[in-house]
Amino acid sequence: MSLPNNQDIYVWELPVAELAAVLNDFLGRLSPTRVSIVTDQLRAILRAEGQQELVVLAASAGAANLDAAVVLIATIAKPGDTATVLHMDWTRPASSGDAEIAQDRETAQGCALAIAQRLTPIFSAHDVRFIQWATDPEETTSHSVSSDADQSVFAWPRRTGFSPIGTLDYLAMDYPTAGNPTAETRVDLEGEATVVIEPLASDSPSVVADFEQVIQRTYQGSLDCPQLEEYRAPAEIIQSYRNVDSYAPDLWFWVRAAGNDDSSCGEVVGCMMLAKHCNSTTNDLVLELVYMGVLPEHRGRRYGQQIMQQIAQVCIKENASRLVLAVDQRNHPAHAAYRRSGMQSLFRETVWVHSNQPASLG
């Protein structure tokens, strides 16, 4: 690829050791929370044995020049058909206070597209069909980037053809453990329980198929990143829940209407899935609410908060120190249920997605 001045763009694979040398500057325009997330992901990937493949590409005008290069870090999930972009930016980003922007728009665009073109066959060789990218939300970081939108960290997803599908709020609640005995937990149900959760507890193909059908039905009219279905079929979304290290099939549940007595359950009204993580600092168990959905015909009955109370009891039974979840900031009913249950804000991020098709990325 050439720039308007006929200067070629040079793209190369960057060794991790060289990435480490520029990492502080490379991440310099991210919020502290985002820096922590990206560096934690990098450490986990480098420690893992074959679970994810790390891809680091650099591009610069004319020849390899790491001091004036654009770098992209991505990971490829194994198994699975998904790749994740961790970050993309100049190795030495110009600050918003600079009198002159060190890198011009044409070079930025040229480097981004050249990297995207190199990525497409790499992803295709690994059968990657879906690419995701999380960034700081624009509204919370505009003070820290250049006033020129083409120089901001949010220009990179757009340059490479990604589309935003929503901004997620990450919420958490802590639970009492030996290491944190003072954590406050709300586990009391408000009045008589109207729903109960029942473990999936079967790998029978017919039972699993029924469960997946319930999941797909709960997607109808969903307020959580509804645009995602333009890029992923429901079956692919469900499979992605299984293709992660945190997959915990023993914590997948039917949600049923409460029966007439403690031993009976009524009809299925929804589903709920948890995943297991390990706190790398304390080694405590952390549970993640991967998905919770209510069938369309059963919505509007405040089942969400009832399910959250059931989840709290699961967390205590599993001796988890924390529950975490992500919710689309536009999903006001779910947000309200989580807040009423005592969930507190952690951070917010914007999610971008792209389908990997030959010659289409970028």
Side-chain angles (χ1 to χ4, degrees):
M1 176 174 291
S2 298
L3 297 175
N5 58 8
N6 294 320
Q7 195 173 19
D8 289 334
I9 298 293
Y10 184 80
V11 182
W12 72 101
E13 293 187 19
L14 189 67
V16 173
E18 293 185 36
L19 172 65
V22 298
L23 198 59
N24 285 341
D25 286 338
F26 175 61
L27 302 177
R29 294 199 290 177
L30 297 179
S31 70
T33 297
R34 195 81 215 149
V35 170
S36 177
I37 291 171
V38 172
T39 53
D40 284 350
Q41 289 174 314
L42 281 172
R43 290 192 192 99
I45 293 164
L46 295 174
R47 284 197 304 264
E49 297 180 358
Q51 297 301 310
Q52 295 188 74
E53 181 166 328
L54 187 65
V55 179
V56 184
L57 296 179
S60 60
N65 178 8
L66 195 55
D67 286 332
V70 172
V71 170
L72 175 139
I73 307 175
T75 66
I76 300 173
K78 299 189 295 185
D81 64 352
T82 301
T84 301
V85 175
L86 300 186
H87 188 47
M88 186 178 196
D89 204 355
W90 296 100
T91 54
R92 309 271 190 244
S95 70
S96 58
D98 287 351
E100 297 181 359
I101 299 297
Q103 295 87 15
D104 60 69
R105 298 177 187 176
E106 288 79 10
T107 303
Q109 184 69 30
C111 288
L113 291 178
I115 287 175
Q117 288 181 1
R118 177 72 71 88
L119 273 177
T120 296
I122 293 174
F123 286 160
S124 296
H126 289 82
D127 296 322
V128 169
R129 295 192 296 274
F130 177 73
I131 313 164
Q132 56 193 2
W133 188 342
T135 69
D136 282 312
E138 296 186 63
E139 66 270 18
T140 62
T141 57
S142 58
H143 65 282
S144 63
V145 299
S146 168
S147 58
D148 185 341
D150 285 330
Q151 292 295 328
S152 76
V153 293
F154 310 107
W156 299 109
R158 297 189 182 95
R159 286 185 177 114
T160 45
F162 283 73
S163 299
I165 61 168
T167 295
L168 301 180
D169 286 323
Y170 282 78
L171 308 177
M173 175 184 284
D174 292 329
Y175 293 88
T177 62
N180 186 21
T182 61
E184 295 185 4
T185 306
R186 299 184 193 177
V187 296
D188 54 308
L189 294 172
E190 295 183 358
E192 185 177 355
T194 56
V195 297
V196 294
I197 58 174
E198 175 189 343
L200 178 58
S202 174
D203 56 3
S204 163
S206 61
V207 174
V208 171
D210 289 344
F211 190 80
E212 292 181 354
Q213 185 177 35
V214 170
I215 296 174
Q216 293 191 34
R217 287 188 59 207
T218 64
Y219 290 156
Q220 298 174 19
S222 173
L223 298 177
D224 262 329
C225 299
Q227 298 96 324
L228 180 60
E229 290 192 58
E230 298 175 17
Y231 298 85
R232 300 288 273 170
E236 292 175 318
I237 298 173
I238 296 168
Q239 185 59 41
S240 71
Y241 297 149
R242 298 189 176 97
N243 290 337
V244 292
D245 295 337
S246 57
Y247 172 48
D250 56 315
L251 296 181
W252 285 31
F253 298 87
W254 304 96
V255 178
R256 295 183 180 274
N260 295 326
D261 55 64
D262 293 339
S263 63
S264 64
C265 296
E267 64 178 320
V268 172
V269 299
C271 58
M272 181 270 290
M273 294 168 282
L274 298 168
K276 293 181 178 179
H277 301 271
C278 179
N279 185 313
S280 59
T281 302
T282 64
N283 288 323
D284 287 342
L285 174 65
V286 175
L287 295 186
E288 176 190 3
L289 178 56
V290 176
Y291 184 74
M292 178 178 75
V294 176
L295 295 170
E297 63 268 27
H298 293 287
R299 291 173 186 161
R301 305 178 188 181
R302 300 192 70 179
Y303 283 163
Q305 192 167 355
Q306 287 275 333
I307 298 170
M308 287 301 297
Q309 298 289 357
Q310 301 280 352
I311 292 172
Q313 296 183 45
V314 173
C315 290
I316 292 174
K317 179 181 178 181
E318 295 288 330
N319 197 33
S321 64
R322 169 171 281 195
L323 172 70
V324 297
L325 60 86
V327 57
D328 193 317
Q329 65 176 2
R330 299 166 296 185
N331 190 347
H332 301 300
H335 220 296
Y338 298 145
R339 290 292 192 178
R340 285 194 297 266
S341 299
M343 304 292 291
Q344 301 295 318
S345 294
L346 288 177
F347 63 93
R348 179 178 291 179
E349 67 182 19
T350 296
V351 178
W352 310 71
V353 297
H354 198 286
S355 294
N356 185 51
Q357 302 291 339
S360 73
L361 185 61

